[in-house]
Structure formats: structure tokens, C-alpha cells
Amino acid sequence: MGQGASTPSAEPEKRKKKVGIKTGKPICCCCPETKKARDECVVFKGEDDPECQKFIEAHKACLRDEGFDVK
């Protein structure tokens, strides 16, 4: 009766990577210009800096334009 090991009946489905509708790239590679500006600002001034908030929102808008669901 009860064997300790079990084998899955089917292989798990591979997840499809979501890509941007304009560039066809994954989220990590979309919007490099806004990503760089956002990252540099956050590193040197902190996430709460008003100037950085503008860069953060610009990057989110760019990602939304690519079709990603960004909050």
C-alpha cells in the first residue's frame, strides 16, 4: 500500500514570458531609458525624493504603454 515516492502524471506547463507589445521584450528589458534614470535617482537620493517620484512614475507609464500591468 502507500508508497513514499510519487511521480507527477504530467510535466508542469512552461510559463509563457509576457513581453511588451511595442518592443517584444520582457519587462526587465523594456524602457531602459526611464529605468536607468529611475535607478540612478533612487540610489543617490532615495525613493521618497520628489524628483525620483517623477522618474518612478515615468517608468511605470512606459511599462504600462508596453502592456504590462504595473500598479
Side-chain angles (χ1 to χ4, degrees), residues 11-60:
E11 291 185 33
E13 290 184 35
K14 289 185 179 181
R15 289 187 179 181
K16 289 185 179 182
K17 288 185 179 180
K18 184 162 181 175
V19 295
I21 56 177
K22 292 181 180 177
T23 62
K25 296 179 182 180
I27 194 167
C28 63
C29 302
C30 289
C31 307
E33 297 85 11
T34 57
K35 182 178 181 179
K36 181 179 179 180
R38 176 206 64 183
D39 291 350
E40 287 179 0
C41 190
V42 169
V43 167
F44 293 111
K45 297 182 179 182
E47 187 176 343
D48 295 329
D49 185 275
E51 184 178 350
C52 294
Q53 287 297 315
K54 292 177 186 175
F55 289 124
I56 291 168
E57 291 306 315
H59 186 59
K60 287 180 181 180

